[in-house]
Amino acid sequence: MRTEHPGGAGQAGPDLRHHGDAEVRDDGSALVDLAVNVRADTPPAWLREVIARSLDGLAAYPDGRAARAAVAARHGLPVERVLLTAGAAEAFVLLARALKVRRPVVVHPQFTEPEAALRDAGHTVDRVLLREEDGFRLDPAAVPEDADLVVIGNPTNPTSVLHPAEAVAGLARPGRVLVVDEAFMDAVPGEREALAGRVDVPGLVVLRSLTKTWGLAGLRIGYVLAAPEVVAELERAQPLWPVSTPALAAAEACVGPRALAEAAHAAHRVAAERAHLLAGLSRFASAGLRVVEPAQGPFVLVRLPGAAGVRRRLRELGFAVRRGDTFPGLGEEWLRLAVRDRGTVEAFLRALEEAVGSAPGPCGG
C-alpha cells in the first residue's frame, strides 16, 4: 500500500472518465453486457408503474419532501441528515465544490468519479493505492494523518472487496470528512459492514445510489447521509429542483418495505450467481486467470495475461466486459465482470474459453 501524488488536473494517467457504459454504446449496443454493474432484470414492473404514474405531475415543480422523509425513515435518521441527488455522481461533484478542504485523498482502486470531480474543482488529489498482494484490503494507517477529506468505496468498485465497517470508521478524525461510497451495499446480503445510519462517526458522509439494484441509471437518483451542517452546505451548492419528479417517486418507492424485501432477496440471488461465476472462472486458472477474492459485490475483478486482447476477442464473440486499466492501481491485465444469471454466465464462459485460446500472449495483447 502506498501513497501516490499524481499531480494536477492535466496530469497524464488513467482515463478517470471512462466508465462501463462506454463498452456498450454505439457499436457495443448489441453486446451481452457484463461491463455495467446495473442489475440486468430491472426496473421491475411495479417500479415502472410507479414512475409512469408520476408523469401526471410533471407540470408542477418537483417536491422532494416525501422522498426525503422516506429515505430518512429507511435509515432511522432525521430528514436534516438526508440530501437527495441526481445519482451518486452529483454528490461527488457537490462534495468537491462545496467543501473547503486542503488535502483530499482517494483510496484506490475504486470508482474514479470522486477523484475526477475533485480535480475538476481545482483540488490536488493524493491517492492511497491498495495492493493486489494484500487482497486490495484497507490498512487505515496508510491514509495520511493530515488528509482532511478521504474517499473510499465499500464494497469497492472494481475490486468487489467489502471492508470491515470498523476499519472504514477508523479513518475518521476530528476535522476530517470521511466519504464512504456505499452504492453497492444493498447488493450485500444483510448490508453487513454498512455505515449508513451511523451518527457516531465524526465527519461521516455516506453516499447511496438507487440506480444499481433498481436499474435506474437513466433516471439518476441517489442520496447523501451526513451531519445536518454538511447536508446544508451541499444543498446550497445544488441547483433548484435537482431531482426530477419521476426520480423522487422512484426514490420513495425504492426505500419502502416491499422494495427493501425485494432488494434483500436480490442480494442473496446475486451471491449465488456470483458463486456460479467464480466456480466457472476457476477453470481458467491454468491460463493464468486470478480472481480477487472474496468478492462481495455484484461484480468480480480478474487478472489475466493478455487481457486487452481477450477483451477485444470477447467483443467479437458478443460480450462486453469492463477494462481495468482506467482504474488507478490497476493495468491492462485487469478486467471487471458483472454478475449475471446462470444462462448468461455459461454463455460467457464458453466465449471466454474461445477468447483465451485465441488471444495473443501478454506481450501481444
Side-chain angles (χ1 to χ4, degrees), residues 8 43 45 52 58 61 72 103 149 161 216 256 262 282 287 330 344:
L58 289 186
Y61 285 95
R103 190 181 183 188
L149 173 68
V161 169
L216 299 175
E262 184 173 323
S282 68
L330 302 182
T344 301

Side-chain angles (χ1 to χ4, degrees), residues 139-324:
D139 174 7
V143 176
E145 278 297 320
D146 62 344
D148 56 355
L149 173 68
V150 177
V151 184
I152 186 169
N154 203 32
T156 302
N157 170 22
T159 63
S160 208
V161 169
L162 181 65
H163 304 293
E166 291 313 310
V168 177
L171 295 173
R173 300 284 188 278
R176 171 186 288 177
V177 177
L178 172 60
V179 179
V180 184
D181 177 7
E182 291 189 351
F184 295 100
M185 187 61 78
D186 59 355
V188 176
E191 295 195 5
R192 63 186 189 279
E193 313 305 344
L195 291 178
R198 294 272 298 267
V199 297
D200 60 326
V201 181
L204 177 65
V205 176
V206 173
L207 307 186
R208 286 287 182 107
S209 170
L210 296 173
T211 66
K212 315 298 185 186
T213 288
W214 298 109
L216 299 175
L219 198 60
R220 311 308 308 140
I221 179 64
Y223 54 88
V224 177
L225 306 175
E229 59 271 20
V230 174
V231 167
E233 197 166 357
L234 299 179
E235 192 170 17
R236 282 192 292 271
Q238 273 187 316
L240 289 173
W241 312 293
V243 180
S244 70
T245 295
L248 292 171
E252 188 174 355
C254 288
V255 295
R258 172 183 180 170
L260 294 180
E262 184 173 323
H265 176 75
H268 286 283
R269 188 173 73 246
V270 165
E273 291 168 344
R274 184 179 60 238
H276 181 72
L277 172 61
L278 292 173
L281 291 173
S282 68
R283 306 200 304 259
F284 298 89
S286 60
L289 187 146
R290 299 291 181 268
V291 182
V292 176
E293 294 190 81
Q296 301 291 340
F299 46 86
V300 299
L301 182 66
V302 303
R303 186 172 189 170
L304 178 64
V310 170
R311 183 174 66 87
R312 289 193 291 269
R313 181 59 179 142
L314 284 170
R315 292 182 71 84
E316 295 170 358
L317 295 170
F319 291 86
V321 299
R322 174 65 158 89
R323 58 192 282 195

